Amino acid sequence: MTDPAATDLDARYGRTPRGRRPVLLIAVIGVIAVAALVWLVRVAFVQSTPPVSSRLLAFAIPSDTSATATIQVEKRKDVEASCRLQAKAADFSIVGELTLTVPADSPRQQTLPATLTTQRAATSVVLIGCTTADTARPH
């Protein structure tokens, strides 16, 4: 038997017996959370395994009109890469620039020398990074 006082309070405050709404809401939130997690893992994997990566190993400034650098490039076997280097002066202005092309049939990992012609004396060489036809962001 139901308590008449409890029934009056339920009617007064608009409480109804719980139905399937909370279960459905939890299921929808769960599906959204799983979809978001799958997207996050996919994006993290794609961003952590670029088709080409590079690093500057060394640079030297042999004269006022040239700079040399050595870079290491690691790429997928079937990918052609373009690697961009810049020579900078003491005031951080760009005084020379060079783009190296790494052919698709070259070894997966290689060390490349580069000589940049400069407009005036450079103080450093910066590796901007390497890109492929599919990626615009240098790595």
Side-chain angles (χ1 to χ4, degrees):
M1 197 163 170
T2 59
D3 183 15
T7 306
D8 290 342
L9 288 176
D10 288 343
R12 177 184 287 176
Y13 294 110
R15 290 187 291 200
T16 59
R18 295 189 178 243
R20 294 186 184 194
R21 186 174 292 173
V23 174
L24 182 62
L25 183 63
I26 290 171
V28 168
I29 290 172
V31 167
I32 291 171
V34 167
L37 184 62
V38 167
W39 175 81
L40 180 66
V41 168
R42 182 185 174 282
V43 168
F45 177 74
V46 167
Q47 292 299 319
S48 68
T49 55
V52 62
S53 63
S54 59
R55 67 184 182 139
L56 180 66
L57 297 177
F59 73 88
I61 312 297
S63 72
D64 285 348
T65 59
S66 70
T68 61
T70 304
I71 64 170
Q72 183 178 38
V73 179
E74 188 170 335
K75 64 179 191 62
R76 293 186 189 145
K77 188 75 172 159
D78 59 343
V79 172
E80 180 177 289
S82 296
C83 301
R84 199 167 119 213
L85 293 151
Q86 289 180 341
K88 295 195 176 189
D91 62 353
F92 301 107
S93 62
I94 299 169
V95 294
E97 194 166 15
L98 177 69
T99 300
L100 294 174
T101 301
V102 184
D105 59 351
S106 62
R108 185 172 185 265
Q109 184 175 4
Q110 55 190 308
T111 302
L112 301 171
T115 302
L116 292 88
T117 303
T118 61
Q119 298 168 344
R120 56 189 168 105
T123 57
S124 66
V125 175
V126 178
L127 173 64
I128 303 302
C130 296
T131 59
T132 63
D134 298 336
T135 60
R137 187 171 154 226
H139 291 281

